[in-house]
Amino acid sequence: MISVNNLSIHFTGSDLFSNVSFLINNRDRIGLVGKNGSGKTTLLNIIAGKLVPQQGEVIIPTGTRTGYLEQEMDTGSRVSIFQEALTAFSETRKLEKKIQKLTGEISRRTDYESDEYHQLIQKLTEANDLYHLIGGQSMEGETEKVLLGLGFKRTDFERPVSEFSSGWQMRLELAKILLQKPEVILLDEPTNHLDIESIQWLEEFLKGYYGAVILVSHDRAFLDNVTERTIEISFGKVYDYKASYSGYVQMREERLERQVATYNNQQKQIRQIEKFIERFRYKNTKARQVQSKIKMLDKIDKVEFDEIDESGIHFSFPSAPRSGKVVVEGINLSKKYDDFLVLQDLNFAIIKGDRVAFVGRNGEGKSTLSKILAGELDYSGTLKLGHNLQTGYYAQDQANYLNPNKTVFETIDDIATGDIRRQIRTILGSFLFSGDTIDKKVKVLSGGEKSRLSLAKLLLTPSNLLILDEPTNHLDMQSKDVLKNALLSFDGSLIVVSHDRDFLEGLTNKVFEFRDLKIKEYLGDIYDFMEAKKMNTLQELEKNREKQTFEANQISGNKLGYERKKQLEKVIRKLNTQITRSEEKIRELEAEIARHNGLLSSPNESLDFDELSKNYEKFKKMLELEMNNWSDLQEEKENLKNEF
């Protein structure tokens, strides 16, 4: 159990937290909710030990490990995906090296009867027992399972981490935390870089996790599926609800209604008392009653109802400049990165007024096509841009487009021109930047604040085509609703990449499904698309894709790719050699045991029976270790053979 006691944090003239206290129990599933800037990430940093509160403490039992996935991080790793993931098993790898060292020492020694030799045997036995207890023999299998669950392909395992985008590197960091199996998992917006299939896998993993889970998310469905307790942060206070997000919303409304009703009843009572006092204050016959009422009024414990944070972004996009009928047209458009083909021979057209949703698994090319249309990437084929096309682009990694060393005000002032410059403070105020906050450096902003600042930049240049790639990442739920309403009122053309069904519903009139290097067009919004695909949820889109892949594998005889098959065959050949050597060693040890057994049964009194007994026990222990080694090699071989 972790105890958070009387935490207080003071930032920029106000209290972020004020005497906050709560407990985290062993199997809790807690959702931290609150508006952007309310202190959710700060609270996670304090629990993770990355930030020291100005007052109060977090008491964590000795030996309790925490795994913390931050919103933004840079691994800087130069090894492969698989090798980087295996760093999660640092203690297991140390134990593995210890076993190898002990085994080497034992094989070189000949003083079989010495105490030192038996101590080495004992240490090796204990190390092997611990190794098997913590699952060391299955760490590679666990690593593969988690990486596949989070969307990596087997062909990705040997690719360097540096080849992957920041989103995929965040997935890798998440994989390492899940593999470490800490007692407490802290997740800050874990779904921002996941597709629906991976979100579903993560939900199932976290629901069955043995430890406590505390997460910050603005994904309603994810919170409902994982959490059983909700802690709301508002105006420096925390409110603890024993319910998932939907239950919290209902309970919060009921609590506020009760508070208001109690407050109104008390105010009515106070008014009646004050009216009595005022009426009879100067009548001697009522003096005793008046004094009694005054004392009663002084003793009343005044009811207060909690403030509701009504602050929120509010804006609308400027009117779209006139454009041609055809906004953009692609003819045999393709894109590859070196030898890696992402999109092939796409043919499509976006007409004036179209509002298109890009959907599909991560890695299918949604962001790539968005960048091509925004002029950020080259391509092969033909791309025709319509008359007077003016594009506004919001990238998935939009924070990387901001200069971290500039202030909020400077970021907007640098690109504002003409009369708009006089409105900078008004625009920033609409996005909740006011007072001292406009002088904050971009590098100290939260993920939500960076998203709001990036949206503010979109307002400075009128556009007739908006391209938004995962615009709801880092936005709180109220801000997501405001953005959706602004987009519904936008009179230009729209392309939006998102996995958020609630956000997409009613927002678009076309859907481009990305799959197998191609796109397929559907008319209607996201739910029309799902009905056309005869499915109830976007998860089924992922399942259908998985089913098609499985059927394709069946048709091809379940063959693996040539390179992967070659790699597996090489490993299996190596294992066969190790198994043969192990079997030879087992036969030799069995022969020695049989020989010593015969000698111990001999009536020859000249034999040193004490030494024979020590050697006999030594060979039995060595045989047991070798049998375990042979069994592990066989199991590893069978697991690899099952991949064919």
Side-chain angles (χ1 to χ4, degrees):
M1 179 183 292
I2 294 177
S3 177
V4 177
N5 297 325
N6 300 316
L7 286 190
S8 292
I9 289 283
H10 188 76
F11 280 155
T12 60
S14 61
D15 287 326
L16 190 61
F17 298 129
S18 180
N19 295 320
V20 165
S21 298
F22 59 91
L23 295 176
I24 302 167
N25 300 307
N26 294 336
R27 290 267 310 165
D28 271 345
R29 301 288 184 271
I30 300 173
L32 282 182
V33 301
K35 304 189 69 174
N36 288 136
S38 62
K40 301 185 296 295
T41 297
T42 300
L43 183 55
L44 289 184
N45 280 323
I46 292 172
I47 296 171
K50 292 180 174 290
L51 186 66
V52 178
Q54 292 156 340
Q55 179 183 322
E57 60 181 351
V58 176
I59 301 174
I60 302 177
T62 304
T64 300
R65 297 169 302 144
T66 60
Y68 181 25
L69 179 73
E70 302 176 67
Q71 277 191 35
E72 299 175 4
M73 59 178 64
D74 181 16
T75 64
S77 176
R78 297 182 179 276
V79 300
S80 70
I81 287 289
F82 201 79
Q83 288 301 315
E84 180 64 28
L86 284 175
T87 61
F89 298 95
S90 57
E91 294 303 316
T92 308
R93 302 294 285 273
K94 288 179 183 176
L95 185 58
E96 200 174 49
K97 290 180 179 178
K98 180 180 178 181
I99 290 172
Q100 292 172 354
K101 182 181 178 181
L102 288 170
T103 302
E105 287 183 25
I106 290 171
S107 65
R108 290 191 296 270
R109 297 185 71 131
T110 57
D111 54 336
Y112 306 129
E113 70 286 351
S114 68
D115 290 339
E116 290 83 358
Y117 185 86
H118 284 279
Q119 287 173 5
L120 285 175
I121 292 288
Q122 182 64 28
K123 288 180 180 179
L124 179 59
T125 302
E126 291 173 355
N128 270 306
D129 289 344
L130 179 58
Y131 184 77
H132 286 277
L133 182 66
I134 64 178
Q137 72 281 2
S138 61
M139 64 180 175
E140 292 194 356
E142 284 293 312
T143 301
E144 183 173 337
K145 177 183 173 182
V146 170
L147 288 175
L148 291 174
L150 289 174
F152 289 95
K153 301 174 183 176
R154 283 191 173 87
T155 52
D156 294 331
F157 288 178
E158 299 307 317
R159 291 174 58 193
V161 174
S162 57
E163 288 185 5
F164 289 80
S165 67
S166 57
W168 283 98
Q169 290 188 32
M170 290 289 283
R171 289 192 190 209
L172 179 59
E173 291 303 308
L174 175 57
K176 287 161 62 177
I177 290 170
L178 300 183
L179 288 167
Q180 288 166 0
K181 299 180 182 176
E183 284 72 25
V184 182
I185 292 179
L186 309 172
L187 304 176
D188 197 352
E189 297 288 3
T191 63
N192 278 354
H193 303 288
L194 301 181
D195 56 33
I196 290 173
E197 183 180 10
S198 300
I199 291 173
Q200 188 180 27
W201 181 90
L202 181 60
E203 286 175 353
E204 293 302 316
F205 184 96
L206 294 177
K207 282 192 287 187
Y209 192 67
Y210 82 98
V213 177
I214 307 171
L215 61 92
V216 173
S217 178
H218 296 126
D219 185 325
R220 291 177 175 90
F222 184 69
L223 286 170
D224 276 337
N225 288 333
V226 175
T227 64
E228 299 166 350
R229 181 178 164 198
T230 302
I231 293 179
E232 177 193 21
I233 304 176
S234 180
F235 289 110
K237 299 178 182 179
V238 299
Y239 302 91
D240 200 341
Y241 299 85
K242 296 194 180 330
S244 63
Y245 182 80
S246 294
Y248 141 74
V249 171
Q250 183 177 350
M251 292 170 69
R252 177 175 179 267
E253 290 300 318
E254 292 171 354
R255 175 176 64 83
L256 291 174
E257 287 174 5
R258 288 195 301 270
Q259 285 183 339
V260 171
T262 304
Y263 174 82
N264 289 335
N265 288 335
Q266 189 182 70
Q267 290 299 306
K268 182 179 178 181
Q269 180 187 8
I270 290 172
R271 284 194 298 272
Q272 289 174 342
I273 295 172
E274 289 175 339
K275 187 176 180 180
F276 181 91
I277 294 171
E278 187 64 28
R279 182 178 178 183
F280 298 108
R281 180 185 295 275
Y282 302 109
K283 289 191 176 182
N284 292 332
T285 58
K286 298 286 187 180
R288 183 177 294 178
Q289 290 171 284
V290 168
Q291 289 301 317
S292 176
K293 293 291 186 183
I294 291 173
K295 290 179 181 179
M296 181 186 298
L297 196 62
D298 291 337
K299 289 180 180 179
I300 289 178
D301 188 10
K302 297 288 180 66
V303 173
E304 296 180 352
F305 56 87
D306 297 325
E307 294 179 274
I308 300 176
D309 191 350
E310 299 289 356
S311 62
I313 65 172
H314 55 279
F315 72 99
S316 59
F317 289 99
S319 296
R322 291 181 61 85
S323 66
K325 183 177 180 181
V326 177
V327 176
V328 65
E329 182 179 8
I331 303 170
N332 296 327
L333 190 145
S334 300
K335 175 62 183 177
K336 64 165 58 176
Y337 296 97
D338 296 327
D339 294 328
F340 183 64
L341 190 61
V342 181
L343 301 169
Q344 185 175 31
D345 296 331
L346 303 188
N347 291 283
F348 62 91
I350 295 174
I351 309 302
K352 181 180 179 181
D354 275 350
R355 309 169 74 82
V356 185
F358 284 5
V359 301
R361 291 186 62 186
N362 284 351
E364 294 285 0
K366 303 184 298 296
S367 294
T368 296
L369 184 57
S370 299
K371 289 179 180 179
I372 290 172
L373 297 179
E376 298 282 329
L377 285 178
D378 58 4
Y379 55 89
S380 60
T382 302
L383 183 65
K384 295 182 178 180
L385 304 180
H387 172 70
N388 194 35
L389 182 66
Q390 298 179 38
T391 302
Y393 176 51
Y394 181 99
Q396 186 175 153
D397 55 347
Q398 188 66 35
N400 295 335
Y401 288 71
L402 301 173
N403 188 329
N405 296 314
K406 288 187 176 179
T407 65
V408 169
F409 184 86
E410 289 169 346
T411 299
I412 300 300
D413 187 51
D414 283 353
I415 59 175
T417 57
D419 293 339
I420 198 74
R421 297 198 66 187
R422 293 196 294 268
Q423 304 176 38
I424 290 178
R425 292 182 181 272
T426 302
I427 292 172
L428 288 174
S430 299
F431 287 87
L432 305 183
F433 294 108
S434 59
D436 294 338
T437 60
I438 68 172
D439 296 319
K440 289 170 70 174
K441 296 278 189 183
V442 168
K443 61 185 175 185
V444 303
L445 299 180
S446 69
E449 289 172 323
K450 289 176 182 176
S451 295
R452 297 203 309 266
L453 183 58
S454 298
L455 287 173
K457 287 179 64 178
L458 280 179
L459 299 185
L460 299 182
T461 306
S463 308
N464 46 35
L465 173 63
L466 281 177
I467 303 173
L468 309 179
D469 191 353
E470 298 289 1
T472 61
N473 283 357
H474 305 298
L475 291 182
D476 59 40
M477 294 176 189
Q478 184 179 345
S479 297
K480 281 168 40 172
D481 292 339
V482 171
L483 174 60
K484 181 174 179 177
N485 289 330
L487 291 172
L488 286 169
S489 302
F490 176 59
D491 57 356
S493 302
L494 172 67
I495 295 172
V496 58
V497 182
S498 180
H499 294 293
D500 190 328
R501 288 168 297 164
D502 293 330
F503 182 72
L504 289 174
E505 183 182 8
L507 185 60
T508 59
N509 58 16
K510 281 185 180 180
V511 173
F512 282 5
E513 179 193 4
F514 286 67
R515 188 174 66 185
D516 300 329
L517 311 180
K518 303 287 186 181
I519 57 175
K520 187 174 181 180
E521 181 179 326
Y522 296 83
L523 295 178
D525 82 346
I526 194 68
Y527 285 99
D528 294 321
F529 160 70
M530 290 190 291
E531 185 178 352
K533 296 284 290 183
K534 296 182 181 178
M535 51 188 184
N536 296 321
T537 64
L538 278 179
Q539 281 104 334
E540 293 184 36
L541 170 63
E542 309 301 337
K543 291 178 182 178
N544 287 343
R545 175 176 172 79
E546 184 178 339
K547 180 181 177 182
Q548 290 163 1
T549 303
F550 174 73
E551 290 172 349
N553 286 341
Q554 282 187 318
I555 293 171
S556 63
N558 290 326
K559 291 184 179 179
L560 296 172
Y562 176 70
E563 291 299 326
R564 178 63 177 163
K565 187 175 179 181
K566 276 180 59 180
Q567 183 183 8
L568 288 175
E569 288 174 343
K570 182 179 179 180
V571 175
I572 289 174
R573 284 197 300 271
K574 184 178 179 180
L575 285 173
N576 282 332
T577 302
Q578 292 174 333
I579 289 170
T580 300
R581 290 174 181 170
S582 180
E583 289 171 346
E584 290 174 356
K585 191 170 183 179
I586 288 170
R587 284 194 293 270
E588 291 172 0
L589 289 169
E590 287 175 339
E592 282 295 327
I593 290 171
R595 186 173 72 85
H596 278 69
N597 193 39
L599 291 172
L600 288 168
S601 303
S602 170
N604 189 345
E605 296 181 359
S606 63
L607 295 174
D608 187 342
F609 284 95
D610 287 340
E611 183 179 356
L612 285 172
S613 295
K614 288 180 181 179
N615 288 339
Y616 178 75
E617 291 300 321
K618 177 197 70 174
F619 287 126
K620 281 182 66 177
K621 288 181 179 179
M622 290 176 67
L623 177 62
E624 182 183 355
L625 291 173
E626 195 56 44
M627 289 293 290
N628 287 336
N629 180 48
W630 178 87
S631 178
D632 291 343
L633 291 171
Q634 287 284 10
E635 183 180 355
E636 187 176 355
K637 176 184 172 182
E638 289 303 314
N639 289 338
L640 290 174
K641 286 175 69 176
N642 288 337
E643 293 194 28
F644 282 91

